[in-house]
Amino acid sequence: MSLAQLHYTSAPPGPDGSGFRFTAVSPGVPQGLLREAEQLIGYEPPRDLPARPDAAQLRAFPKALGFHELSDGGRLLSRTVYTGADYSGRWGNFHAHALYLPPGARLPDGALPITAWESPRWADATPADRRPTPVDRLEPSGLLRRDALVAFAASRADRLAAFFADLRVLAEDPDACQVVLVEHDSAAVAQWIALACAVLPREVAHRLTFTTYTRRPLQARQQIVGALPSSEPCAPGHRLRVHDCTGRSAGGSAGTVPDAWADTCARVWCAARPELFRDASLDLGCLAASALAAGVALRADARAAAARWAGERVGSLPEATLTALIGVLSTSGGDEGGTSGTSPQDAGAERAALAALLDRVEGRLPTAVTAPLAGRVLTSAVLGGGPVPALRAGSLTPVVRDELARTLAAPLRSGIADAREPAVGRPLLLLGTADLLDVDCQDLLPELAGRLSRALVAGPEGGGEGRAGDDGEGTAGSGAYGTVGTGTYGTAGTGSEGARRDAPRGTAYGTAGTGAYGTAGSGTYGTAGSGTYGTTGTGTYGSTAPEPDGCPPALLDAVEGHPALRIALFGALDALAAADPVAVARRLAGSRLPVGLQPGFPHLRMCVLPPEAREPGDRLTRFHGVLRAAAVSPHADPAVLATALHLVWPGELPASQEASLLLNQLGSDIHRAAGTRDVLVDAALAAPPDDLDAPVLAADLLRCFPTELRPGQRAALLLLEFTGLLGTEGEGEEWVGRALGLRDGAAEPVPDTVTERVFAALARRLVDGPAPDSELYGLARSGEPRLLAAYERAGRSERVRDRLRTSPAYAAACFCAWSACPGTHPAWDETRTALLTKVLRPVVRALPAADLAGIEDTLGRAGGGRLDAFRSWNRPGTLGRLAGRFSGRNRRIERPPVRHGDIEPPAEEGRP
């Protein structure tokens, strides 16, 4: 397939004009493309070259090979050369020959654009017949052959890594920067670009835009821009990476480059092994592994990447390749102490990568292959603090094992006892290594077990601390369920069974003093200054620890192999589970911790239940299942009841019905002993208004704990119980007075949820009727804004409107109620006037005559002038006057001026 071509130069006058113009264009090339290409293929000769060069001097002018991106998504590959004088003898002419690649198209045979450098297919002049010679392929020049590029790379060895580092930035984000290469010759720039295309992934190399020469690099649009020393200067910046290879500046000069991929690319070129880029990618591990296998020396971070890459592909790499790579990694570097110029960080990263690789290959390859790597990693881990491999008995030969035992016995014991290290990590692995080497560490096990239990629950020591002073779950200072200071449902203090609250607002399930299952400064089932259910930290259930994937294998092995460690560890974990079950369960649920190996430890048994064992069924079913897992009756050990409650309702309260069942099924005595009484109380007080079981729960609590409730709790529960009595035979009298009296007489503020619930129930009862006049008077006289607002909301409800439309007797009752007690309280007058005006009047005006007559008949039988008042109120034009009279306001109303023909309205009662 022949490529579309363009020729551009200064030409004599013709049909297309004179001067610089396209002199030969393949058929079908659109005019828009020509206008865009014209901006890309221009040429300005260098300032320092002769203005009127002869033929020999012309050959020294730089050649601009460019690969440009077009607005239509296509590409333009162009070559522009300086030709001296044009047809008229004027100097400054050039000739551009370009090939157009439509979107998605590439050069023939998949050749990279840079390979077109000085191809014999480029033309220096327009064809005589103005018809481009067909081009179906571009033969490369010898400049970009392997040997030439290797020699060029060696001559620029000190600048390669810096260039490749900028190239990586450009490859990952094409808009991130431009790379400017300053060379004495444009051919050197072409070689730089060839080096770049060799190390880049093939797809990226095909998209790389460039120009080998421009006199104005700051105006260039390409990603890689070539320039001469005489080109306009450009200073390096955030988007402009300048590499001056002429020796005039330090740009791109020798020095350590942080980018290990760039450094590895440079080392591969300098080692004359460009074939390693055959499957080029930006993956450092793949390149580093190939380079090491080929004998290229790499620095520590590259070796670490190679080890990680090999470890991730243990199952897919050929055994011979993996064996050779392990052999190189086992002997290369060797700077375990970080003393050979390698930074401690890089040396540590290499040790960690080698340990991970050993963990993957051990058992897959012969011991003869892995033993050198195991010996290096193990010694490095113990002496240098690197990752400790979990070696098996067959990992080392007897001779090596004995030698390691003599060398590492003291460091192993010291590392196991080192409290600065997370116990679940290094010390536990060191314990496994000590077992492997027969180093006695029995006296260190009890202290290690305590550290292990804390680490399993809260992560590494110091890693689970939360934010002091924030409200909410899981923070120190204040929060729900387990914070000393202020909280949602509880108070700080001391009391019976560690659950009584005598001081203002504090922890929910614990006290800031002593209790049945707490210690000084801690709550019943939580710790002072802790978050949700007593854990210090943030996040769900108050712990920053991630969801567990299971206990570390080294811990499981240690637990099974060390009975003394197992008993000590389970005891410590059981104590933590009793104090903070949610945090412990979050870490240990489904951890496969073998609690069945040892009897006892009920709290731990509940916490290690796998999630699927706790999720099926409703929450009460799950509660009883969790309780059974403790393998001990709550009557024998009441503390397990609180643990089960926390596990099934983490960070929340039971619903009212659930709380009632918990109280009635288990009895009040066990809740007293377990210190969970206030959980049930808080469940009632926090119940939403639509929870119809809350009054029943409140009555149960008042019955079961007649003398133990705080005055504030008692008042709130009595109010809840009262809401359930309204509308029944037990509602009694003086509803408004009783409700307000209980609320205002409480020793502690009644929760808003309870107050709103009581006011809503009371308002609904008064609106639904029938209500004694004394209750309505009590409402009017109270002037309680929240109660009156609830009454107005109830009156404005669609339920009331529908009843008004269908029941004349109810409409008459509402008129009587909403016109009663005028002047008793301004707030009452505003409320009833709004109901008369906005609710009753629109309904009455829309009623049929028969229903209106029914209302009047009911009011007539009621007597007391109610019928006359209703007729006056319902008379057109009298609403405002009567409303003002009913409210006791606007006694003097401005009369409208009397106009001719008007009939004077009757005087108001008591006025002339």
Side-chain angles (χ1 to χ4, degrees):
M1 179 186 70
S2 180
L3 300 173
Q5 301 178 60
L6 317 171
H7 287 266
Y8 184 87
T9 190
S10 177
D16 299 327
S18 62
F20 281 102
R21 59 189 175 88
F22 287 98
T23 54
V25 178
S26 297
V29 177
Q31 287 296 318
L33 174 63
L34 297 179
R35 288 191 296 271
E36 186 176 0
E38 191 172 13
Q39 306 300 317
L40 300 172
I41 58 179
Y43 187 97
E44 293 181 274
R47 292 189 178 92
D48 59 344
L49 293 182
R52 297 171 179 266
D54 55 27
Q57 292 171 331
L58 271 178
R59 289 193 293 272
F61 276 68
K63 300 174 179 59
L65 178 69
F67 189 59
H68 321 278
E69 182 178 6
L70 301 175
S71 59
D72 67 349
R75 296 290 194 271
L76 189 73
L77 179 62
S78 65
R79 175 182 178 271
T80 306
V81 295
Y82 189 63
T83 58
D86 65 359
Y87 66 93
S88 65
R90 181 178 59 187
W91 291 90
N93 191 23
F94 62 87
H95 179 269
H97 183 193
L99 304 175
Y100 171 63
L101 301 177
R106 293 183 178 178
L107 292 177
D109 302 326
L112 291 171
I114 190 60
T115 61
W117 173 260
E118 291 306 277
S119 171
R121 294 300 184 107
W122 293 116
D124 293 342
T126 303
D129 58 357
R130 300 185 61 190
R131 294 181 179 179
T133 303
V135 174
D136 57 358
R137 62 188 303 268
L138 291 169
E139 297 84 353
S141 67
L143 182 68
L144 302 184
R145 290 176 180 168
R146 179 187 184 280
D147 294 342
L149 290 179
V150 167
F152 178 78
S155 69
R156 303 294 195 276
D158 59 335
R159 305 176 185 275
L160 290 176
F163 170 71
F164 290 139
D166 290 340
L167 184 69
R168 182 188 181 99
V169 174
L170 190 150
E172 292 177 344
D173 182 1
D175 298 324
C177 66
Q178 283 179 291
V179 177
V180 178
L181 294 167
V182 182
E183 285 278 5
H184 289 295
D185 185 3
S186 58
V189 176
Q191 289 176 299
W192 274 113
I193 298 171
L195 295 181
C197 290
V199 305
L200 288 175
R202 193 76 174 179
E203 184 62 30
V204 177
H206 273 290
R207 297 195 304 267
L208 185 70
T209 61
F210 58 82
T211 180
T212 57
Y213 166 72
T214 178
R215 200 171 87 179
R216 303 177 190 272
L218 288 176
Q219 299 179 12
R221 307 178 189 176
Q222 296 79 12
Q223 294 169 303
I224 297 182
V225 179
L228 298 185
S230 61
S231 297
E232 291 184 355
C234 51
H238 175 66
R239 286 186 46 81
L240 204 63
R241 312 294 174 86
V242 180
H243 295 265
D244 192 336
C245 305
T246 62
R248 298 181 306 159
S249 69
S253 61
T256 301
V257 175
D259 190 335
W261 176 85
D263 181 81
T264 302
C265 289
R267 290 170 182 262
V268 170
W269 270 116
C270 291
R273 299 301 301 270
E275 65 275 7
L276 299 179
F277 298 120
R278 185 178 298 107
D279 298 321
S281 71
L282 299 178
D283 184 353
L284 169 62
C286 178
L287 178 61
S290 299
L292 285 174
V296 180
L298 302 180
R299 66 191 197 187
D301 51 356
R303 294 196 301 268
R308 288 191 294 268
W309 180 87
E312 293 168 358
R313 293 160 179 80
V314 166
S316 58
L317 286 177
E319 183 173 335
T321 302
L322 187 60
T323 298
L325 183 58
I326 290 174
V328 174
L329 290 171
S330 299
T331 57
S332 63
D335 182 29
E336 296 175 359
T339 59
S340 68
T342 300
S343 70
Q345 293 80 7
D346 289 343
E350 182 182 8
R351 290 195 298 266
L354 291 177
L357 175 60
L358 176 62
D359 185 61
R360 296 294 306 276
V361 301
E362 191 181 20
R364 293 174 177 262
L365 298 177
T367 305
V369 175
T370 61
L373 183 61
R376 179 184 172 190
V377 169
L378 184 57
T379 302
S380 171
V382 177
L383 299 181
V388 181
L391 302 180
R392 296 190 298 269
S395 300
L396 303 170
T397 64
V399 173
V400 173
R401 180 163 45 289
D402 293 343
E403 179 63 27
L404 289 175
R406 289 190 295 270
T407 304
L408 302 179
L412 281 172
R413 288 179 54 82
S414 176
I416 293 169
D418 189 356
R420 296 170 299 176
E421 291 286 344
V424 178
R426 178 175 170 81
L428 193 61
L429 294 175
L430 290 177
L431 179 63
T433 302
D435 292 340
L436 178 67
L437 302 180
D438 293 329
V439 177
D440 184 16
C441 299
Q442 289 295 316
D443 57 314
L444 305 177
L445 296 182
E447 189 274 338
L448 178 61
R451 292 170 50 217
L452 282 171
S453 65
R454 296 189 295 273
L456 283 175
V457 172
E461 285 83 353
E465 296 180 359
R467 304 182 306 273
D470 293 339
D471 290 331
E473 298 180 357
T475 60
S478 64
Y481 313 127
T483 61
V484 172
T486 62
T488 306
Y489 307 112
T491 60
T494 62
S496 174
E497 295 87 30
R500 186 179 300 279
R501 310 298 192 269
D502 296 322
R505 299 303 222 192
T507 60
Y509 302 140
T511 64
T514 61
Y517 308 107
T519 59
S522 67
T524 306
Y525 304 111
T527 59
S530 63
T532 307
Y533 298 120
T535 60
T536 300
T538 60
T540 308
Y541 313 149
S543 173
T544 59
E547 292 294 344
D549 295 325
C551 289
L555 174 60
L556 297 178
D557 293 341
V559 167
E560 294 179 0
H562 293 277
L565 176 64
R566 178 169 68 243
I567 294 173
L569 176 61
F570 286 2
L573 287 174
D574 192 67
L576 292 176
D580 198 345
V582 175
V584 175
R586 179 177 175 82
R587 291 290 298 176
L588 299 184
S591 64
R592 298 181 293 112
L593 195 66
V595 293
L597 293 177
Q598 205 73 33
F601 315 111
H603 303 279
L604 178 60
R605 290 177 181 275
M606 289 187 283
C607 289
V608 299
L609 279 178
E612 59 270 15
R614 295 201 307 256
E615 291 175 0
D618 58 75
R619 292 193 290 191
L620 281 173
T621 302
R622 293 198 304 247
F623 168 78
H624 289 294
V626 170
L627 203 56
R628 284 192 299 271
V632 63
S633 169
H635 296 280
D637 185 359
V640 299
L641 171 61
T643 299
L645 278 175
H646 292 316
L647 291 175
V648 178
W649 287 274
E652 58 181 321
L653 291 166
S656 296
Q657 185 183 41
E658 294 172 332
S660 291
L661 291 172
L662 288 171
L663 176 59
N664 293 314
Q665 289 177 358
L666 299 173
S668 59
D669 289 342
I670 192 171
H671 284 287
R672 287 189 186 92
T676 55
R677 178 199 63 213
D678 280 358
V679 179
L680 308 180
V681 173
D682 293 339
L685 301 185
D690 58 350
D691 190 342
L692 301 181
D693 297 301
V696 177
L697 174 59
D700 289 342
L701 291 168
L702 290 167
R703 171 179 52 82
C704 292
F705 305 106
T707 61
E708 303 163 58
L709 298 169
R710 297 196 316 272
Q713 291 177 326
R714 176 173 292 279
L717 292 175
L718 287 171
L719 283 170
L720 278 179
E721 182 186 37
F722 174 62
T723 62
L725 296 175
L726 287 173
T728 69
E729 294 181 356
E731 65 183 2
E733 300 177 352
E734 298 184 5
W735 310 331
V736 175
R738 287 163 57 192
L740 295 179
L742 285 171
R743 184 200 66 170
D744 298 337
E748 300 172 12
V750 174
D752 287 342
T753 55
V754 176
T755 301
E756 294 298 331
R757 183 189 189 100
V758 172
F759 284 171
L762 186 55
R764 189 164 53 249
R765 174 67 181 88
L766 291 171
V767 169
D768 289 348
D773 292 341
S774 60
E775 298 297 343
L776 196 61
Y777 176 70
L779 172 66
R781 184 181 178 184
S782 72
E784 167 59 47
R786 295 167 67 183
L787 177 56
L788 289 173
Y791 184 81
E792 184 173 344
R793 285 195 300 271
R796 287 176 177 267
S797 66
E798 284 301 318
R799 178 180 55 83
V800 170
R801 294 178 190 269
D802 291 341
R803 191 175 175 189
L804 290 172
R805 296 186 188 100
T806 58
S807 175
Y810 181 67
C814 287
F815 175 78
C816 294
W818 295 344
S819 58
C821 307
T824 303
H825 196 285
W828 164 247
D829 286 333
E830 291 180 4
T831 300
R832 66 181 186 79
T833 301
L835 292 173
L836 282 170
T837 306
K838 303 298 183 182
V839 178
L840 186 59
R841 184 176 181 83
V843 172
V844 170
R845 288 296 172 87
L847 289 176
D851 289 346
L852 189 59
I855 294 175
E856 293 184 349
D857 181 63
T858 302
L859 293 173
R861 285 186 278 106
R866 291 182 174 86
L867 177 59
D868 293 338
F870 176 76
R871 287 174 174 172
S872 297
W873 171 80
N874 195 38
R875 184 182 305 142
T878 63
L879 177 61
R881 182 176 72 254
L882 290 177
R885 185 174 67 186
F886 290 145
S887 65
R889 296 173 297 172
N890 302 323
R891 291 296 186 182
R892 300 186 62 84
I893 301 176
E894 290 294 332
R895 295 187 180 184
V898 179
R899 300 181 180 179
H900 180 73
D902 285 352
I903 299 177
E904 184 176 356
E908 295 180 18
E909 182 179 354
R911 297 185 63 181

